[in-house]
Amino acid sequence: MSVTPPALRPPAPRLPGRLIRPRGDAAPRPAAPPRRRWVPRTDAGTAALVAVVVAVLAQIPMLTNRFFYLWDDSAAEFLPVWHRIGADLLAGHWNPQVPSMWNGGNFAAEALFGIWNPVELLDAVLTALSGDLLIAAIVIKTQFLVLLTLGIYAVCREYRANRAASAVMAVALPFSGFTLYFDAASWIAGLMGFAWTAHFWWSARRYMRGRLNPVVPIVFGLLIVTTGNPYGLLGMVVVAGALAVESLAARDRRAIWRLAGVSAVAASAAAMVFLPLVLSAAVTTRSPGSGIMNTGFLVPGVGDLLNLSAPAYLPHSVSWHMAFWSVPATYLAWFIAPLAPWLDWRRVVRRPRTLIGVGLLAVVYLALTVGPSQIWLFRWPLRVIEYAYLGLSVVLALALTESPRTDLPRRRAAATAVIIVVGGYLSWSAQPGRFPTVIAATALVGVLSWLMVRRVRAGRPLSRLLVGGTVAVLGFQAVAFPANQNVTDWHPQHDVASMKRHFGTLYQGNTLMVGDPLTEADRLGRRSVWHDLPGGSLLQVAGVTSLNNYTGVSYRAYMRHLCMSYYGGTCQSLYARLWRKDSDSAAELADLLRLQTVVVQTQQHVVDTLNPPVVPGKKRAKPLTVPAGWTMRVLDDHTLVLNRRKPLPWPDGRVAYTAPSAHVTADAIAADGVGETLRYTGQGEVRIAALLWPGWRATVDGHAVRLKGTDVGIIKVLLPPARKGGSTLRLSFRPPGYRIGQAMALLGLCLAGVIIALWYRDKRRLRTGGIGEIGEIGRVSAEAAGTSGRSSSTGS
């Protein structure tokens, strides 16, 4: 999907041979005649060119790491879940909860998978149709990098930066450190929320000026909310606050009401998206908020932000696996700090009422970036650094729009040199072991800056050099920092057909892994551990009903009883627990979970089973016990598989246990894979092998019955006495808070209708000579544009 910003009023074009008088020089110099053969003359053309450039540049990281975009959470959770959602959609189902995915199947409570977002649902279908998770990841992430760059370009143009300056920042920001190495590589939901926020910003402001149909900001606002990323929602709130301050400063009440209307419509979807998460918190391990605290986790320092133009600077901070970041997470663009002494900042700040919103957004997010590690539900401040950089990019685009200062050239050149050297020194001092990398990065920035200074002093355009330098630095970083080692490399298998061929016959029915492949792979230092049991939720892609899945919303009782981690790894003691009988039902845990395959993936278990070692002074290790009714086979030196010999009763349903007084005569799962219907006679307890998430409902012959959870978290139903001839139990699921969400969404739809109707009424009156108001923000922007139609060194 691509979004082209609407055409904005272009700056006054330069005439051939126009003189540029750099301030501070004694005599004017003739400007070099511009070459415009390949440069678009409209905003739509420039935006299209920038989109193509970013789409091509997005492939550079894969030259050194082909799994760059299938990394960490993207490999373990997002792509496998999207594949499952897409497969269900292609089969005609839309399910907010998939019981067969157990701990990772509550999509409504997870919120991050965009089950209400039309763009993400289309991407889920694409993932299912692609046949390769890696290809799907590349396409989807390139798509959102392009959407982000279009949003950045539109925001800069909305604040009257010229096309060249806007294009420079639109190419640079998507490849900044955090956006590229964290959001694009791993946390794709963050990239989505960030991209839609940029589009909401320009469209809302343009609508406030009376220059855009309200449908556009409403759509972008709804896309932010339905993405399910809370940082995107926070971004929309902060942007709306910044625009409101702009309107207050301009004393434009009409613009404030317009903003309030579109923001309220977008926020009306929040209940549908986030209420299931809030109302499911009681049974999960997710904390509803622990106030304000600071553990230092992913908290950059002020000094880290000052190195935003050092491509090899690796900040120190509390992080996963190591005490420093393995990638330049606080990097923004190579040219910002070296070019700063040459920019005319005085002209930029001459329009305080126009820029007050941009400054407010940048300051708020900079404060959050270096703030506490957790504020309520929002944690890890590094996540918001890109929003601060978005505000900073608008300011920089405006500064680049102005002609640079060329007075005192030696002092300015010396300041640029000092900035580069200090950045190189700080990069080396942060990681002394990377001396060659730091030298190469500093030399690269030095050469580019030397070329930049020469062009500034000659009065020549900079845009091509700035973009070309961004390409060069991106290529350097792809070689020097090919992967984010602070997060997890799951070594994912990605060919769907190959996975189905391998695992489709290997693992049948409900499959549980005993062990932790992530820990085992780290200990053994080899990828072979992943061959027979991929981590996270990857087995879902192969059609295996795995009980081990990656999730950010963990069912507490299930996790505790199976000693399972959020990514699906388990402790070794789980194997013995599977064959213990439950005190209430006298049934084994393996039966209550309806297990048909158990995979034990620890090298020590396999070695002890095949050849128990003899250690002097110690007893011989006891071989692994194979329970009655199961067979065991060894796959390799660190994996063995147990298979149930006889098929389970009720093969079409999920009944795991019935009391002696209750007799189930039929049990079948609904066609959508969620609901369930069973016929029974007698009365008593029945257990269903599915987790009791809030939202499950049960009726017996149309009358509601209460559901309870067991110590492992599965559903327990106390069946009332059956009618003569038998009764019917029906199980169904509806996300908690769904009715409230529907009501709020309906109110939002009605409000959107009113806003759109008022918009067309005003447009009609304007055409017939009635009222017509652009708004004070628009007037101030127009005046500012009229006074800033000067030549720019960033012009193409």
Side-chain angles (χ1 to χ4, degrees):
M1 174 182 176
S2 63
V3 179
T4 302
L8 305 175
R9 184 189 305 166
R14 284 188 288 170
L15 299 176
R18 177 177 178 179
L19 297 181
I20 299 178
R21 183 188 297 273
R23 285 176 295 282
D25 285 6
R29 301 192 188 100
R35 299 178 181 178
R36 296 181 175 271
R37 295 179 182 177
W38 60 275
V39 178
R41 296 179 180 272
T42 64
D43 271 299
T46 305
L49 177 61
V50 169
V52 171
V53 170
V54 169
V56 173
L57 295 186
Q59 315 312 311
I60 290 179
M62 292 187 299
L63 298 178
T64 56
N65 177 10
R66 71 188 185 101
F67 288 100
F68 186 87
Y69 293 120
L70 195 60
W71 201 261
D72 191 47
D73 287 8
S74 290
E77 185 179 27
F78 282 103
L79 269 300
V81 169
W82 280 339
H83 185 277
R84 178 59 187 263
I85 293 173
D88 285 346
L89 289 172
L90 291 173
H93 310 312
W94 176 86
N95 298 326
Q97 204 253 113
V98 178
S100 62
M101 285 187 65
W102 290 80
N103 202 35
N106 197 338
F107 305 152
E110 192 89 23
L112 284 176
F113 299 122
I115 60 173
W116 311 99
N117 187 295
V119 176
E120 287 193 54
L121 292 179
L122 288 174
D123 285 335
V125 172
L126 169 67
T127 304
L129 291 174
S130 68
D132 194 304
L133 298 185
L134 182 57
I135 293 176
I138 294 169
V139 172
I140 293 172
K141 295 186 178 185
T142 301
Q143 165 197 357
F144 275 95
L145 285 172
V146 169
L147 284 170
L148 174 60
T149 201
L150 291 173
I152 298 166
Y153 178 82
V155 170
C156 294
R157 291 292 286 142
E158 174 62 23
Y159 281 93
R160 316 310 295 183
N162 69 13
R163 288 189 288 122
S166 301
V168 167
M169 297 313 303
V171 172
L173 181 53
F175 301 107
S176 60
F178 180 84
T179 301
L180 180 64
Y181 282 102
F182 282 87
D183 270 3
S186 174
W187 301 338
I188 178 62
L191 177 62
M192 292 175 171
F194 185 41
W196 296 132
T197 299
H199 283 282
F200 176 77
W201 190 356
W202 73 260
S203 60
R205 190 176 190 275
R206 192 162 173 79
Y207 164 64
M208 291 168 66
R209 295 195 295 117
R211 299 297 183 88
L212 187 66
N213 193 301
V215 171
V216 180
I218 285 174
V219 167
F220 285 132
L222 289 173
L223 288 172
I224 292 173
V225 176
T226 54
T227 295
N229 182 266
Y231 293 90
L233 180 59
L234 176 64
M236 187 183 77
V237 171
V238 175
V239 165
L243 292 177
V245 172
E246 280 188 30
S247 301
L248 288 172
R251 299 178 182 177
D252 190 349
R253 296 181 181 178
R254 187 178 182 86
I256 295 177
W257 282 110
R258 285 177 172 174
L259 174 65
V262 296
S263 300
V265 173
S268 66
M272 190 166 55
V273 175
F274 293 103
L275 263 184
L277 166 63
V278 176
L279 297 180
S280 300
V283 301
T284 70
T285 58
R286 175 169 290 193
S287 171
S290 302
I292 301 176
M293 65 177 65
N294 195 344
T295 62
F297 197 88
L298 292 190
V299 181
V302 175
D304 298 329
L305 303 183
L306 295 178
N307 286 280
L308 78 176
S309 291
Y313 179 75
L314 304 181
H316 278 262
S317 174
V318 180
S319 178
W320 298 278
H321 310 311
M322 53 189 72
F324 58 88
W325 292 330
S326 62
V327 294
T330 56
Y331 170 78
L332 174 54
W334 68 270
F335 55 83
I336 294 175
L339 187 58
W342 302 87
L343 298 177
D344 192 349
W345 298 104
R346 293 177 299 180
R347 289 183 177 267
V348 175
V349 299
R350 283 180 181 176
R351 296 174 287 170
R353 286 197 297 180
T354 303
L355 288 179
I356 188 172
V358 178
L360 178 63
L361 182 138
V363 169
V364 167
Y365 271 112
L366 283 172
L368 292 176
T369 300
V370 297
S373 61
Q374 179 168 331
I375 301 178
W376 191 47
L377 290 176
F378 298 93
R379 57 180 182 171
W380 308 344
L382 184 64
R383 286 178 165 180
V384 301
I385 191 173
E386 56 193 356
Y387 291 88
Y389 283 171
L390 176 59
L392 183 59
S393 295
V394 177
V395 177
L396 290 167
L398 291 171
L400 291 170
T401 298
E402 305 290 345
S403 297
R405 296 180 62 92
T406 54
D407 56 320
L408 305 174
R410 292 184 178 180
R411 293 184 182 180
R412 297 183 190 278
T416 295
V418 169
I419 288 172
I420 296 171
V421 171
V422 170
Y425 171 76
L426 294 176
S427 300
W428 168 79
S429 63
Q431 291 293 313
R434 288 184 173 268
F435 182 74
T437 301
V438 171
I439 290 295
T442 306
L444 176 60
V445 174
V447 171
L448 291 172
S449 298
W450 175 72
L451 295 172
M452 179 176 64
V453 169
R454 288 193 61 184
R455 296 181 74 86
V456 168
R457 297 190 65 182
R460 301 180 64 186
L462 287 176
S463 58
R464 297 180 190 178
L465 175 62
L466 300 184
V467 172
T470 298
V471 176
V473 171
L474 176 62
F476 163 79
Q477 290 179 328
V479 174
F481 313 105
N484 185 352
Q485 301 298 337
N486 292 88
V487 293
T488 305
D489 176 12
W490 292 98
H491 299 289
Q493 301 178 47
H494 53 92
D495 183 81
V496 177
S498 175
M499 292 177 70
K500 287 183 176 180
R501 284 194 302 269
H502 179 60
F503 297 109
T505 56
L506 189 61
Y507 305 142
Q508 296 291 324
N510 283 3
T511 300
L512 176 67
M513 174 201 61
V514 178
D516 191 333
L518 179 59
T519 303
E520 194 75 5
D522 290 341
R523 185 175 69 84
L524 296 177
R526 56 181 178 174
R527 296 186 57 170
S528 60
V529 173
W530 305 104
H531 180 263
D532 293 317
L533 195 69
S537 301
L538 281 162
L539 273 178
Q540 298 294 331
V541 179
V544 176
T545 308
S546 174
L547 276 70
N548 308 81
N549 291 287
Y550 190 110
T551 176
V553 182
S554 303
Y555 198 103
R556 187 186 304 110
Y558 180 81
M559 297 282 283
R560 184 178 60 247
H561 207 82
L562 273 63
C563 58
M564 186 177 289
S565 67
Y566 68 92
Y567 55 81
T570 68
C571 60
Q572 300 300 330
S573 61
L574 175 60
Y575 184 82
R577 298 184 194 178
L578 294 177
W579 322 117
R580 294 176 187 167
K581 297 196 177 208
D582 181 84
S583 58
D584 295 332
S585 62
E588 293 180 349
L589 178 59
D591 294 334
L592 294 176
L593 298 175
R594 289 181 63 88
L595 294 181
Q596 292 171 275
T597 304
V598 176
V599 184
V600 183
Q601 189 161 5
T602 62
Q603 189 181 38
Q604 190 61 49
H605 265 316
V606 177
V607 170
D608 289 350
T609 301
L610 298 178
N611 185 21
V614 177
V615 181
K618 292 187 178 181
K619 294 183 179 180
R620 188 181 182 90
K622 184 178 180 181
L624 192 68
T625 303
V626 180
W630 293 75
T631 60
M632 184 192 75
R633 60 175 171 151
V634 176
L635 297 183
D636 49 44
D637 63 347
H638 54 265
T639 309
L640 59 82
V641 178
L642 283 77
N643 295 105
R644 191 184 290 270
R645 290 178 181 172
K646 296 182 179 180
L648 289 165
W650 310 291
D652 298 325
R654 289 186 287 251
V655 171
Y657 166 81
T658 60
S661 56
H663 304 281
V664 174
T665 58
D667 180 24
I669 299 173
D672 62 2
V674 180
E676 189 163 358
T677 302
L678 64 88
R679 294 279 300 172
Y680 74 94
T681 59
Q683 64 178 5
E685 179 183 324
V686 171
R687 298 190 185 185
I688 308 295
L691 293 178
L692 182 59
W693 290 103
W696 277 107
R697 290 168 175 79
T699 60
V700 173
D701 297 331
H703 300 285
V705 294
R706 184 180 177 185
L707 298 176
K708 296 182 178 180
T710 67
D711 57 352
V712 74
I714 66 174
I715 299 173
K716 178 168 67 174
V717 189
L718 295 178
L719 298 174
R723 296 176 179 177
K724 185 177 180 180
S727 291
T728 301
L729 169 70
R730 298 185 187 278
L731 290 171
S732 61
F733 180 85
R734 187 174 65 210
Y738 181 62
R739 295 296 188 194
I740 299 175
Q742 280 185 317
M744 293 295 294
L746 181 60
L747 288 175
L749 182 63
C750 295
L751 178 58
V754 172
I755 292 172
I756 295 170
L758 291 175
W759 165 262
Y760 280 107
R761 184 200 65 179
D762 288 349
K763 296 291 287 185
R764 188 166 52 252
R765 290 185 180 182
L766 180 62
R767 286 195 300 268
T768 58
I771 64 169
E773 180 180 349
I774 295 178
E776 184 67 14
I777 290 181
R779 185 184 66 78
V780 172
S781 298
E783 291 177 357
T787 60
S788 64
R790 292 172 290 276
S791 301
S792 167
S793 65
T794 54
S796 49

